[in-house]
Amino acid sequence: MNKLLLLLSIIFSVSLISCEKTENEIIYTPGGRVAYPEELSAGNSTVFVTSSTAYDTPANWVTNDLASWFLEGDALYDNPRVSDGNLVNGGLGPVYAGYSCASCHNDAGRTVSTLFTDGGTGKYGFSSFLTFMRTPNGQYHREYGRVLHDQAVYGSEPEGKLRVNYTEQNYTFPDGETYSLITPHYEIYDWYADSIPAEQLEISVRTPLRHVGMGLMLAIDKNEIKQLASIQYPEYGISGEINWVTERNVKSIGLSGHKAQHSDLTVELGFLSDMGVTNSRFPHEVSEGQSQVDGDYDIQITTEDMAAVDFYLHSLGVPARRAVTNATVIAGKELFYKAKCHLCHTPTLHTQPEGVNLLDGTHIPWLGGQTIHPYSDYLLHDMGPELGDDFSQFNASGDEWRTTPLWGVGLQEVVNGHSHFLHDGRARDFTEAIMWHGGEGDVSRQAFANMSSEERETLIMFLRSL
Ligand code: HEC
Ligand code: HEC
């Protein structure tokens, strides 16, 4: 009798515990949808989309007037600009690198590049990359812009064309599996004016960044970033550093860009420098000073339109994680921690309670007070000379790069149809991306290399779930 009671109470309490456990694990999201907490990459900005629009879907809080504003910004971002003087979609050129934001950030991701398909600026295709260029003492070349404009409107010449050659080298993992890495070698040719001798030219070639979690990135609690920068792991050779950037005479924490060299979402700079669209912050044509430009131009986009694009970027949702209860994905997550990936690709951060203000001052409270999973510390790390570009930006040296946020990375193939990674897209898949990690990333590279091929695939399954 006593034994039976004991047994019954054990069964009861066990079922109670397991019941409580499921109650705890499953929560309700704002859209009324049932989800595991781990699926919520970005709190109330998480969206449950796994198709090619996964990066280009508004967060749930974007309703009514905000929804119209989002669509307005989305259209300004997507629609090709032309060379006439109209403010709605004019102002392109005379020289440019892209004809709309989306020409490089297709579906708010990374457009497939002619670097991979045509070996550089395509004959008809389009590189979608940015090639930063300057003199060895940090000045712009008089006849050229801040980036190489390899496209031009009718009547003007592109500044030059980019060519890339890849040399391939084969390697073997300790368990016998093979892989190869390709190293890019860049050259600018067909200069429209005087060609710049190699010793007078510093360049850095960069792939576009995915627009996953842009608003939340700006809303991050800056004390948390400072805290992360103060932690060092001498046993693994890892220590992240803040890129303090000075823009408009204000010193602040750099967050965006491959070297965290900007503290905003570069909307005004994108319009001017990438497309040649002058605006209130940058009223001078990017090609001013070139012999082929007459200097006759006005403001080519309104400040209101730029604010709409700024809002659009801030209000994009972040795709929810997939397959979080899958056994392989869970095992892959453990390997991610075991390989110390999490020491830079920080899984969890928080946004400041008050949210953020847009460039035009509009307050966006919904981005505040959220627990987010960007898988980045937004800090700079020395990744070794093989990945370096000798192109310092503020306190980011040539070998230093910002930890790329990995949220949404598992959907890049679905959204953009390719799996090229790293700042210049040289890694053709996840394995290559990891095997390029040198410098502070070497501890992870070694750990990954020393896994069995099955374990490596398991870790990659976890990356695919992000
Ligand atoms: C010619 C291609 C091209 C065009 C056109 C372009 N971008 Fe970019 N974008 C890039 C590249 C390349 C980077 C990464 C460069 C870097 O900062 O290191 C980038 C970076 C960004 C980032 C930083 C993202 C992050 O995660 O840190 C934002 C935001 C951005 N672009 C917005 C825009 C907007 C808005 C427009 C249109 C006004 C635009 N871009 C037009 C190529 C382009
Ligand atoms: C020392 C810090 C550090 C560690 C440790 C680290 N990473 Fe990275 N990771 C970076 C930085 C910095 C970049 C950007 C490098 C570049 O673009 O050249 C990066 C880029 C990546 C990318 C490319 C993302 C993209 O969209 O281009 C992937 C994937 C990645 N890391 C996965 C991992 C995995 C998996 C591990 C563990 C095996 C790991 N990283 C360990 C700092 C680190």
Side-chain angles (χ1 to χ4, degrees):
M1 185 65 181
N2 269 347
K3 272 188 184 164
L4 185 64
L5 253 181
L6 189 71
L7 193 70
L8 275 175
S9 75
I10 288 174
I11 291 172
F12 181 65
S13 55
V14 165
S15 66
L16 202 76
I17 290 168
S18 62
C19 188
E20 264 176 13
K21 211 171 161 216
T22 34
E23 285 286 310
N24 274 339
E25 274 182 356
I26 293 186
I27 53 161
Y28 290 86
T29 68
R33 183 187 169 112
V34 181
Y36 293 99
E38 275 223 60
E39 290 181 87
L40 299 187
S41 305
N44 65 1
S45 290
T46 310
V47 292
F48 292 83
V49 183
T50 55
S51 66
S52 63
T53 54
Y55 301 161
D56 207 0
T57 301
N60 248 311
W61 48 265
V62 181
T63 53
N64 304 322
D65 286 354
L66 291 183
S68 325
W69 206 18
F70 176 91
L71 290 177
E72 204 186 308
D74 194 0
L76 285 158
Y77 182 93
D78 282 348
N79 295 344
R81 295 193 83 91
V82 294
S83 64
D84 70 19
N86 86 78
L87 279 174
V88 181
N89 70 340
L92 183 69
V95 290
Y96 60 96
Y99 51 83
S100 68
C101 307
S103 64
C104 296
H105 301 278
N106 190 13
D107 285 326
R110 287 177 164 165
T111 308
V112 69
S113 176
T114 55
L115 256 63
F116 314 141
T117 52
D118 298 17
T121 305
K123 192 161 184 205
Y124 306 107
F126 178 70
S127 88
S128 87
F129 272 44
L130 284 176
T131 304
F132 295 147
M133 47 182 211
R134 64 185 185 201
T135 68
N137 47 18
Q139 308 295 309
Y140 298 140
H141 289 280
R142 201 183 65 81
E143 287 278 5
Y144 299 96
R146 168 185 170 273
V147 298
L148 177 73
H149 298 102
D150 57 359
Q151 315 284 321
V153 302
Y154 184 74
S156 301
E157 295 278 319
E159 290 174 348
K161 303 271 180 194
L162 181 70
R163 180 156 44 219
V164 61
N165 280 306
Y166 293 102
T167 45
E168 182 159 14
Q169 193 155 351
N170 297 314
Y171 298 91
T172 310
F173 287 116
D175 73 350
E177 202 193 5
T178 57
Y179 67 100
S180 76
L181 298 179
I182 52 169
T183 306
H185 309 279
Y186 301 106
E187 188 201 347
I188 300 175
Y189 66 103
D190 260 5
W191 297 97
Y192 96 93
D194 291 342
S195 59
I196 303 172
E199 64 278 10
Q200 277 306 311
L201 185 64
E202 280 185 347
I203 64 168
S204 179
V205 179
R206 312 248 176 115
T207 181
L209 281 153
R210 295 175 294 270
H211 288 334
V212 177
M214 294 286 90
L216 296 140
M217 168 175 82
L218 293 196
I220 285 169
D221 179 352
K222 306 300 174 295
N223 288 323
E224 213 169 355
I225 303 273
K226 288 182 195 160
Q227 170 70 18
L228 284 172
S230 72
I231 307 172
Q232 310 201 342
Y233 303 93
E235 64 276 39
Y236 306 120
I238 296 178
S239 60
E241 185 198 348
I242 290 177
N243 197 358
W244 286 103
V245 308
T246 306
E247 286 176 318
R248 296 192 251 208
N249 296 323
V250 180
K251 188 174 160 188
S252 50
I253 294 181
L255 292 167
S256 74
H258 286 289
K259 289 198 196 258
Q261 75 274 22
H262 296 291
S263 52
D264 66 19
L265 296 185
T266 66
V267 174
E268 301 124 322
L269 186 64
F271 276 110
L272 177 80
S273 179
D274 305 352
M275 303 196 282
V277 181
T278 51
N279 54 66
S280 48
R281 180 165 169 200
F282 298 105
H284 291 276
E285 197 62 85
V286 66
S287 44
E288 196 178 60
Q290 294 187 3
S291 51
Q292 63 174 347
V293 176
D294 62 11
D296 187 18
Y297 45 81
D298 287 313
I299 298 292
Q300 295 163 329
I301 184 171
T302 65
T303 304
E304 290 74 39
D305 278 357
M306 290 192 297
V309 174
D310 194 36
F311 175 69
Y312 159 75
L313 289 175
H314 275 82
S315 55
L316 285 169
V318 175
R321 282 193 55 206
R322 285 90 42 223
V324 295
T325 57
N326 176 290
T328 312
V329 169
I330 292 170
K333 182 177 173 179
E334 279 162 20
L335 291 168
F336 184 84
Y337 282 82
K338 224 173 129 189
K340 309 295 171 225
C341 312
H342 68 294
L343 297 184
C344 302
H345 295 282
T346 312
T348 304
L349 290 174
H350 302 85
T351 61
Q352 59 207 13
E354 66 273 22
V356 283
N357 289 336
L358 302 184
L359 286 176
D360 76 347
T362 308
H363 182 55
I364 306 291
W366 303 274
L367 294 171
Q370 302 298 307
T371 299
I372 59 171
H373 303 290
Y375 289 89
S376 175
D377 54 8
Y378 295 93
L379 296 175
L380 300 172
H381 294 276
D382 185 326
M383 301 301 282
E386 289 91 354
L387 273 187
D389 63 354
D390 288 328
F391 200 96
S392 59
Q393 292 182 292
F394 297 103
N395 44 312
S397 70
D399 293 352
E400 284 180 320
W401 299 98
R402 177 194 71 166
T403 309
T404 315
L406 296 180
W407 48 8
V409 76
L411 289 166
Q412 184 181 299
E413 186 128 28
V414 176
V415 175
N416 294 122
H418 68 92
S419 57
H420 284 265
F421 300 117
L422 298 179
H423 66 271
D424 57 4
R426 67 174 74 184
R428 293 165 292 182
D429 57 28
F430 283 121
T431 300
E432 292 183 17
I434 298 167
M435 292 314 291
W436 271 112
H437 280 56
E440 296 180 39
D442 191 49
V443 63
S444 290
R445 170 166 66 179
Q446 297 297 338
F448 183 73
N450 288 318
M451 289 177 190
S452 67
S453 67
E454 195 182 303
E455 284 173 322
R456 281 193 292 273
E457 194 43 47
T458 303
L459 195 159
I460 288 169
M461 283 300 284
F462 167 69
L463 297 178
R464 289 190 201 288
S465 79
L466 296 179

